[in-house]
Amino acid sequence: MPDPERQRFLKLGAFFHPTGHHVAAWRHEGAQIDAGTNFEHYVRLARTAERAKFDLVFLADAVATRDGNLEGLSRWPQYMAYFEPLTLLAGLAAVTRHIGLVSTATTSYNEPYHIARKFASLDHISHGRAGWNVVTSSNASEAFNFGRDAHYGHAERYERAEEFVDIVKRLWDSYDDDAFVRDRAAGRYFVPSRLHYLRHQGKHFTVRGPLNVARPPQGYPVLFQASASDTGKDLAAKIAEVIFTPLHDIEKGQAFYRELKDHAARFGRGWDDLIIMPGLNPVVGRTRAEAAEKQRHFQSLIHPDVGRELLSNALGGVDLGGVDIDAPLPDHIISPEQRRTDARISYLFREQLTVRQMYEKYGGARGQRTVVGTAEDIADQMQEWFVGRAVDGFLIQPPHLPAGLDEFVEQVIPVLQERRLFRTEYEGATLRENLGLRRPPSTYAGPGPAAPREGA
Ligand SMILES: Cc1cc2nc3c(=O)[nH]c(=O)nc-3n(C[C@H](O)[C@H](O)[C@H](O)COP(=O)(O)O)c2cc1C
C-alpha cells in the first residue's frame, strides 16, 4: 500500500527522444523512423501521454549535432536531426489541454531575455503548462556554434547558470499579475507602477528589462534541473522544483532524495518544493520471457561502432578504438579507483562485463535505469521506490516510440491506477497544480527590496 501520510500520487513525465531512448531504437519496427522532424508523430505521442494522465512531456536538447566518428554517427541518429523543442511544444500546446510541456534550454548558449520571453510565451499559449529544464550544456561542440573555441569551464558554467536563472525569474516578474487593467473607458491599458525595470548588472549579464510579455500564468514556468556533480546539485537545491537525475539503486536513491531535500531546506525551501524524478526505461512484456526477448532484440540492434562510441561517451570520452569488445575493459582505460568511486559509472563495473555487455547495459537508456519485465514487475519497482521515499515520480523513457509509450500506457498505467499510485483524472489546470507546487509570488510583491522603477 502507498504511504498513508503521503497525499500525492506518483508524478510521471513522458520523455520523448524522437525514435525512443534505446540507442538503436530507430532500427526497431516499432519506431517511427523519421520521428525527429515528423510533427504528427509528436502529436500522437503527446495525446497518448495525456490520455494516460501523465503530468508532462519532457524534451532534452542541444544546440549542436553530436560530434564524433562519422561512421558511428551515421548509424546513431539521436540528436543529429530533430525539432527545436520550444517550437515543437508550442505546436503541441495547441493540440493538448492538460499535459505539461517541458523543454531543456541551456544557460551556456542563450541570453536570459530570450529564454524568459520564450518560456513566458509558451506558458501563456498553453494556459500554464510550461516547464524549463535548466542545463549548463553537456555537449562541448555547442561552443563552436556560438563564437567560442572551447566550452566554458565547469565552475563558470554554473556561476553563469545561477545568474541566468535569477535574471529570468525577475524578468518574468516585470509586470505584476494585476498590471493589465485594459480599461477602455479610462484609456489605460496597464498601470505604470505595476511594471518593473530590472536594471541588472552582473558578472556575466547586463539586462535592463522589462520583459515584453505579461507575467506567466504559473508565475514562473516550473523549473527542472539535471546534473550529477556537487556544483550541479547545489544549483538544483537552490533553484530546481523538479530534479531529473540518473539513479540506479534504491539505497543510493534514498540517500540522494534526503540529501537534496535537506540541502534545499538550507535555502529556506520545503521538502515538498522539490520533486525528485529520475529516468526510468521500461521494457514491458506480457510475460517476463517476452520482455527479456524484447530487450535482447534491442541490444542486438546496436552496431559495434555505435557501442564503442556510446561507451566512450559514458566513460568521459576515453578512446576505445582498438579495444576488443568481447573482452573486459582494460584497467588502464578506467582505473579500479574510478570504477569504484565515480557514481556516474560505478554501476557499469558492479559485475565483470565485456565491453559489449557494458555498452549494452548503458545503451538501453543512455545512463538511466532500465527495468525489464511484466507490467506488474515494473509497477512493483516503481511502487517500492516511491513508497521507500527514493523518488517522487519518474520520467518514463520508452525504449522505442511510439510503440514503447503505447505499451506502457496500455499495460503499466492501469496497474498503477488500480494500486492508487497514480491519478485517473488531472487534479489541476496548470502543470504546477498537477505537480502540487505552489505558484510563486512576484519578487516585487509584498515586503522585499524596493525595485527601481522607470521614471521614478
Ligand atoms: C539526466 C541528465 C540530463 C541532462 N540533459 C541535458 C540536455 O538535454 N541538454 C544539455 O545540454 N545538457 C544536459 N545535461 C547536462 C547537464 O546540464 C550538465 O551539463 C552535465 O550534467 C555536466 O555537469 P555536471 O558535471 O554538473 O553534472 C543533462 C545531465 C543529466 C545528468
Side-chain angles (χ1 to χ4, degrees):
M1 280 295 288
D3 182 341
E5 284 172 27
R6 214 149 174 218
Q7 297 300 317
R8 292 196 260 159
F9 290 125
L10 265 172
K11 306 299 172 203
L12 289 185
F15 184 171
F16 299 154
H17 236 301
T19 52
H21 283 263
H22 192 277
V23 68
W26 70 275
R27 298 180 71 190
H28 195 283
E29 51 286 356
Q32 177 69 39
I33 200 152
D34 64 350
T37 45
N38 181 330
F39 181 60
E40 288 67 32
H41 168 68
Y42 285 100
V43 171
R44 180 177 172 212
L45 295 178
R47 284 185 169 151
T48 303
E50 185 167 76
R51 206 171 49 244
K53 317 294 178 205
F54 270 82
D55 289 86
L56 56 106
V57 306
F58 180 94
L59 300 173
D61 193 37
V63 280
T65 58
R66 289 165 24 242
D67 272 337
N69 165 338
L70 258 183
E71 246 333 277
L73 291 176
S74 71
R75 301 179 190 284
W76 176 13
Q78 283 178 327
Y79 289 119
M80 292 303 287
Y82 64 109
F83 287 129
E84 188 290 309
L86 275 167
T87 318
L88 172 59
L89 290 184
L92 295 180
V95 296
T96 54
R97 288 189 52 205
H98 303 283
I99 197 158
L101 303 165
V102 183
S103 170
T104 299
T106 176
T107 54
S108 300
Y109 303 106
N110 268 306
E111 287 290 328
Y113 198 95
H114 280 140
I115 290 297
R117 187 174 186 220
K118 289 179 187 176
F119 280 94
S121 298
L122 181 64
D123 209 41
H124 281 286
I125 289 169
S126 64
H127 303 291
R129 295 187 280 137
W132 171 28
N133 180 35
V134 179
V135 297
T136 60
S137 280
S138 46
N139 184 349
S141 46
E142 295 181 345
F144 310 136
N145 295 331
F146 295 88
R148 294 178 62 90
D149 51 19
H151 195 19
Y152 295 98
H154 198 263
E156 190 183 2
R157 260 196 281 157
Y158 278 100
E159 202 183 76
R160 193 183 146 97
E162 203 171 327
E163 189 180 332
F164 194 117
V165 172
D166 186 49
I167 295 169
V168 168
K169 283 180 169 177
R170 287 189 297 139
L171 284 172
W172 284 331
D173 291 338
S174 293
Y175 285 104
D176 290 344
D177 287 313
D178 58 359
F180 293 92
V181 288
R182 300 186 181 106
D183 185 341
R184 281 198 174 98
R188 172 89 67 198
Y189 201 77
F190 67 87
V191 180
S193 62
R194 297 180 189 161
L195 173 63
H196 309 282
Y197 283 72
L198 175 61
R199 301 191 196 293
H200 174 87
Q201 281 199 311
K203 183 164 172 194
H204 300 276
F205 302 101
T206 299
V207 182
R208 192 200 64 171
L211 190 68
N212 54 358
V213 185
R215 192 158 194 260
Q218 297 184 97
Y220 304 154
V222 180
L223 292 183
F224 286 59
Q225 212 260 349
S227 57
S229 64
D230 285 344
T231 341
K233 284 195 250 175
D234 197 55
L235 180 69
K238 273 186 204 148
I239 62 129
E241 301 179 281
V242 183
I243 296 184
F244 163 48
T245 190
L247 290 173
H248 289 273
D249 53 58
I250 186 164
E251 291 78 21
K252 284 202 176 124
Q254 287 162 331
F256 180 85
Y257 189 90
R258 275 193 306 273
E259 181 195 343
L260 259 288
K261 296 209 178 201
D262 285 346
H263 197 141
R266 290 205 286 281
F267 297 109
R269 309 183 61 209
W271 265 48
D272 287 345
D273 294 337
L274 193 67
I275 293 173
I276 313 267
M277 263 171 117
L280 179 71
N281 180 63
V283 181
V284 195
R286 297 274 172 199
T287 62
R288 285 186 186 159
E290 186 189 299
E293 172 50 28
K294 206 180 245 177
Q295 175 69 346
R296 194 207 55 74
H297 180 51
F298 275 121
Q299 305 295 45
S300 72
L301 298 175
I302 305 177
H303 191 281
D305 285 350
V306 175
R308 280 203 190 83
E309 180 104 7
L310 185 68
L311 188 60
S312 157
N313 292 351
L315 299 177
V318 294
D319 181 6
L320 299 178
V323 161
D324 177 359
I325 60 170
D326 289 311
L329 188 75
D331 274 2
H332 71 267
I333 294 185
I334 297 285
S335 71
E337 164 74 8
Q338 197 187 345
R339 291 170 192 218
R340 249 194 347 271
T341 55
D342 188 336
R344 283 175 280 197
I345 59 170
S346 55
Y347 76 98
L348 291 171
F349 294 98
R350 259 183 234 140
E351 16 173 7
Q352 174 76 281
L353 301 177
T354 64
V355 168
R356 186 197 296 275
Q357 288 166 330
M358 281 175 79
Y359 72 60
E360 287 184 349
K361 183 163 181 173
Y362 181 80
R366 291 170 308 107
Q368 300 280 355
R369 192 165 68 106
T370 298
V371 183
V372 182
T374 62
E376 282 73 22
D377 292 335
I378 292 169
D380 285 349
Q381 291 271 321
M382 293 172 76
Q383 179 163 359
E384 189 190 351
W385 282 56
F386 179 57
V387 174
R389 289 181 185 264
V391 299
D392 296 307
F394 296 94
L395 272 191
I396 301 301
Q397 309 187 161
H400 56 334
L401 288 167
L405 181 68
D406 293 341
E407 289 162 5
F408 188 86
V409 164
E410 284 158 22
Q411 297 177 48
V412 184
I413 292 281
V415 179
L416 296 173
Q417 288 171 331
E418 271 160 34
R419 296 183 189 182
R420 302 173 66 121
L421 288 164
F422 191 54
R423 68 164 69 85
T424 50
E425 268 316 323
Y426 286 102
E427 301 88 22
T430 66
L431 174 58
R432 264 183 195 285
E433 287 170 4
N434 285 320
L435 290 175
L437 295 168
R438 70 191 170 87
R439 184 179 188 275
S442 166
T443 41
Y444 298 104
R453 291 185 177 177
E454 185 72 334

